[in-house]
Amino acid sequence: MEKETAAVARNRKVVLRGYIDRAPREDDMELVDGGDVALRVPEGAAAAGPAVLVKNLYLSCDPYMRSRMRDFQGSYIPPFKPGSPIEGFGVGRVVDSTHPGFSAGDFVSGMTGWEDYSLITKPEQLRKIQQSDIPLSYHLGLLGMPGFTAYVGFYEICSPKKGEFVFVSAASGAVGQIVGQLAKLHGCYVVGSAGTNQKVELLKEKFGFDAAFNYKEEPDLAAALKRYFPEGIDIYFENVGGPILDAVLLNMRVHGRIAVCGMVSQHGVTAPAGIHNLFSLISKRIDMKGFIQSDYLHLFPQFVDDITKHYRDGKIVYVEDMSVGLESGPAAFVGLFSGKNVGKQVVRVSQD
């Protein structure tokens, strides 16, 4: 008996044209026609082990992806391959599966390609999403890698205490907005910085920060922090690096903690800014630690339960910046590095 022929669909892809050593531009990426794709796990792939074919619905734009655009093998994650689809976190619907844990119609989140359809050959890295009142795209932010980064960084790295003074840079972004709200729920005093007055108002009016300021309007960042933290900073959640980190070091309190999540101001910079005030680490006995969320995956179920409850109780709100269409992906990603996004940047590939 002949095997039934699988349905096919066109598969567009966003590919990296070549490695770069500067800030990304839209023309570093290209939308190409990947031809027809059979809507079934190929026999060859199935023979090599369980695989899952997904239709991508939402794709995440995250600053760490910039480091994968350079030919550098010394990071915790390998570079992209020029001519191949860009990879990132996504939410998709299972079209076909040879893995017993996933069935056609399931919604999943995990690492996928910037394309309409992706064949996932390591399905054990996927998470099944239980449909609920929470939007699917939130599994890329609030309940995804950025939310988990905020949760782990704040609770595990910063070891917060009620009443402490917390500063968050890039505070309206995917991670920062959650850090600030968790700190407020913990009983801390929270100040955030952002790059536009619109974002500053968002921090105060929507996310409940005690205060916020536009760092671009401050000629002296150290003096600005002294103004907002006359008694000093206990906890700094580091997202940007550069001059802000230098100013923070001067304003930290004794036994302060700094969680180093990212340094977006240094992405694509061929000569990264030096830090001049590191002696403060000694004189103030500051703990400063870099981390990545994947080192703490044993806490993920607890994170989902906690954040879901806070969201449903109205104690945490979340803001997305949604671009529509796979073709909008390059512009959406590039916009991260000039602060164009307001909230978590997501690309909606398809609603189906």
Side-chain angles (χ1 to χ4, degrees):
M1 183 176 177
E2 289 189 7
K3 203 165 190 178
E4 183 182 345
T5 303
V8 298
R10 300 299 283 183
N11 194 28
R12 302 168 302 156
K13 305 169 181 278
V14 174
V15 302
L16 179 68
R17 298 179 67 180
Y19 291 125
I20 59 174
D21 58 2
R22 49 166 170 74
R25 300 192 302 246
E26 288 183 48
D27 60 4
D28 294 321
M29 296 157 276
E30 183 179 13
L31 181 70
V32 300
D33 185 346
D36 288 339
V37 58
L39 300 184
R40 184 170 61 199
V41 173
E43 290 184 17
V52 175
L53 180 68
V54 302
K55 180 173 185 178
N56 292 309
L57 305 179
Y58 299 95
L59 300 173
S60 178
C61 295
D62 296 299
Y64 81 89
M65 296 166 65
R66 159 65 187 92
S67 63
R68 301 189 69 188
M69 291 182 160
R70 59 190 179 124
D71 190 10
F72 177 67
Q73 302 291 334
S75 181
Y76 62 91
I77 190 168
F80 296 136
K81 295 178 181 178
S84 295
I86 288 170
E87 296 173 340
F89 290 101
V91 166
R93 178 175 53 79
V94 175
V95 176
D96 188 32
S97 171
T98 58
H99 188 287
F102 302 99
S103 303
D106 286 346
F107 290 102
V108 294
S109 65
M111 192 64 71
T112 188
W114 277 34
E115 53 192 346
D116 290 302
Y117 295 89
S118 292
L119 182 66
I120 311 297
T121 56
K122 295 181 178 179
E124 65 276 3
Q125 296 179 0
L126 294 174
R127 292 191 183 94
K128 189 183 295 188
I129 296 173
Q130 301 299 328
Q131 281 191 277
S132 68
D133 55 318
I134 298 177
L136 282 173
S137 59
Y138 279 27
H139 290 270
L140 295 179
L142 180 67
L143 294 176
M145 182 272 289
F148 190 45
T149 299
Y151 185 88
V152 165
F154 184 64
Y155 291 118
E156 297 297 310
I157 308 297
C158 296
S159 301
K161 302 177 186 66
K162 184 177 180 179
E164 288 193 313
F165 301 101
V166 178
F167 176 53
V168 185
S169 56
S172 68
V175 175
Q177 60 175 285
I178 301 174
V179 173
Q181 293 180 83
L182 291 177
K184 285 302 300 176
L185 285 172
H186 202 75
C188 298
Y189 174 82
V190 186
V191 178
S193 64
T196 70
N197 292 332
Q198 175 196 9
K199 292 178 181 179
V200 167
E201 289 307 306
L202 188 69
L203 292 174
K204 294 186 292 186
E205 301 301 324
K206 192 170 186 69
F207 299 137
F209 283 57
D210 293 288
F213 64 90
N214 184 343
Y215 69 89
K216 294 179 180 177
E217 295 182 349
E218 297 290 346
D220 186 334
L221 289 170
L225 289 171
K226 183 68 174 176
R227 190 167 72 244
Y228 286 99
F229 295 99
E231 299 179 55
I233 300 167
D234 292 298
I235 290 172
Y236 172 44
F237 203 98
E238 166 68 302
N239 287 307
V240 299
I244 288 185
L245 174 57
D246 236 359
V248 166
L249 286 168
L250 292 177
N251 283 276
M252 291 295 293
R253 301 180 78 182
V254 172
H255 298 302
R257 286 87 69 204
I258 300 176
V260 184
C261 163
M263 292 193 173
V264 71
S265 75
Q266 303 304 295
H267 288 192
V269 176
T270 53
I275 302 300
H276 304 283
N277 298 321
L278 286 176
F279 186 78
S280 295
L281 296 176
I282 303 169
S283 60
K284 298 178 180 180
R285 285 84 83 199
I286 298 166
D287 288 332
M288 182 173 175
K289 183 176 181 179
F291 72 100
I292 55 174
Q293 52 85 30
S294 56
D295 290 339
Y296 297 86
L297 291 179
H298 61 285
L299 297 175
F300 196 84
Q302 176 187 322
F303 150 74
V304 171
D305 288 346
D306 289 350
I307 298 299
T308 297
K309 185 177 188 307
H310 288 326
Y311 177 75
R312 287 183 172 144
D313 290 346
K315 294 180 178 178
I316 282 184
V317 296
Y318 196 64
V319 172
E320 284 182 322
D321 196 326
M322 185 79 71
S323 296
V324 179
L326 185 60
E327 65 280 0
S328 72
F333 175 70
V334 169
L336 289 178
F337 302 95
S338 59
K340 287 186 178 179
N341 60 302
V342 178
K344 167 63 186 169
Q345 184 66 63
V346 176
V347 176
R348 189 180 79 200
V349 182
S350 172
Q351 286 186 298
D352 181 13

